[in-house]
Amino acid sequence: MSLKYSYARKLIDPCDLVLFRGIDKISKLICKIEKMETNDGDYSHVGVIVTKELLPNIEELEPDRLYVLESTVTIHKFTDGVPDVRTKKTREGVQIRDLELVVKMYTKNGGKVAWGKLIKNPYLYNKNDTIKKISNLVNKYGYRSYDFSIFDELSAAFTFLRPIRLKFEGFEYDGMKILSTLNITERKDMEDIKERVIFCSDLVCLVYQHIGLIPKSIDSKDVMPIEFITERTKGTKGTKVCNIVTELLPE
């Protein structure tokens, strides 16, 4: 099923999921791995819907417009080129972008954008608390760099690679993650490290953990983009939070 953006925006709520399928080699590889692990490889990237009402302290957001909070690499002439609305520049990492522009440019380049409606959206029944939690998370992670680690990407899918990832994280974070490798401290506590870098599903998982949709016992770096709409057939605990996926089309 597909919906024009102008109609879909009337149905989309803050905190809903946005899913992307790219056409580059990395996106195709991610989809192939997801297909192996979940039997569904339709999407390679994810973000979260945010609005001015959800993030009232961000002056650059306009009322009655939808934005996507995501961790991605945006390079002019090489990707869709839609900038972060706060900095007005393209960047590599956590950013907030105008969803209408993203849909238009992403699909123009041959990609696919879809909307996943949350099964139980806390914004609809506990609005003030959700606004506070999302605002705090964006204040904390809003300008973090993108995680380019191949071990982080692959370890989200393959559990046998996670011990290797932890060893590499020990070097990346100046020894802090070596403690995790030795089981001296819990891996999930490492989110507070100042230098923490984030990839797309890692960020989305953190958002949904902060608003109570996903247990904090799940390591956010162990989640693939497709897992927010489907159960993994093997490996780790499920993280499914969405039921409906509708393709978004530009005007």
Side-chain angles (χ1 to χ4, degrees):
M1 179 181 179
S2 301
L3 291 175
K4 288 287 187 179
Y5 176 83
S6 59
Y7 178 73
R9 64 178 293 182
K10 301 174 184 179
L11 306 175
I12 297 173
D13 293 310
C15 299
D16 279 349
L17 188 71
V18 186
L19 304 104
F20 302 84
R21 183 184 179 96
I23 60 172
D24 58 278
K25 292 182 179 179
I26 297 297
S27 296
K28 291 179 180 178
L29 176 61
I30 292 172
C31 289
K32 185 175 181 179
I33 293 172
E34 289 178 331
K35 182 71 173 179
M36 293 168 54
E37 293 294 301
T38 69
N39 293 326
D40 189 341
D42 279 347
Y43 300 99
S44 56
H45 174 65
V46 282
V48 174
I49 293 291
V50 295
T51 62
K52 178 66 173 179
E53 189 174 14
L54 183 63
L55 295 171
N57 295 327
I58 299 182
E59 297 179 356
E60 293 81 4
L61 301 187
E62 299 178 10
D64 301 320
R65 289 197 71 81
L66 299 177
Y67 300 87
V68 55
L69 170 67
E70 57 185 326
S71 184
T72 189
V73 178
T74 308
I75 304 174
H76 185 59
K77 294 184 179 180
F78 290 94
T79 63
D80 58 57
V82 179
D84 174 21
V85 296
R86 301 164 301 171
T87 64
K88 305 295 189 296
K89 298 178 180 179
T90 56
R91 52 180 279 107
E92 301 169 0
V94 179
Q95 49 197 292
I96 299 174
R97 304 195 293 162
D98 187 293
L99 180 62
E100 183 176 9
L101 295 179
V102 170
V103 170
K104 180 179 179 179
M105 296 305 298
Y106 206 87
T107 54
K108 178 182 178 181
N109 293 335
K112 182 167 70 172
V113 182
W115 156 51
K117 192 168 185 64
L118 288 181
I119 297 170
K120 187 177 182 181
N121 191 338
Y123 178 82
L124 301 180
Y125 61 85
N126 197 357
K127 182 178 293 188
N128 291 337
D129 185 62
T130 303
I131 290 172
K132 180 179 178 180
K133 289 178 177 177
I134 296 293
S135 294
N136 288 341
L137 181 136
V138 171
N139 287 338
K140 184 175 182 179
Y141 296 113
Y143 291 96
R144 294 292 175 92
S145 298
Y146 188 78
D147 186 352
F148 287 98
S149 170
I150 187 64
F151 281 108
D152 280 357
E153 302 285 350
L154 292 176
S155 297
F158 303 117
T159 57
F160 72 90
L161 289 176
R162 291 172 191 170
I164 301 175
R165 178 189 65 189
L166 289 174
K167 291 181 183 297
F168 274 78
E169 286 175 341
F171 292 103
E172 183 177 353
Y173 297 123
D174 195 24
M176 290 296 293
K177 294 281 176 112
I178 292 176
L179 296 177
S180 178
T181 306
L182 297 175
N183 295 322
I184 295 175
T185 183
E186 290 295 325
R187 173 67 169 77
K188 61 179 179 292
D189 293 336
M190 295 299 105
E191 69 177 47
D192 293 324
I193 293 178
K194 182 179 180 181
E195 296 86 0
R196 188 188 199 285
V197 289
I198 299 174
F199 59 85
C200 69
S201 51
D202 182 12
L203 175 65
V204 173
C205 186
L206 287 170
V207 170
Y208 289 156
Q209 285 176 329
H210 273 67
I211 60 177
L213 294 180
I214 295 176
K216 290 191 175 182
S217 58
I218 292 177
D219 191 328
S220 60
K221 283 190 177 292
D222 291 346
V223 179
M224 298 183 292
I226 200 66
E227 288 186 85
F228 298 106
I229 61 170
T230 187
E231 299 287 353
R232 185 182 291 216
T233 56
K234 56 184 177 180
T236 61
K237 299 176 183 177
T239 56
K240 181 179 177 182
V241 294
C242 294
N243 261 340
I244 303 170
V245 175
T246 302
E247 186 176 355
L248 297 177
L249 300 176
E251 299 306 308

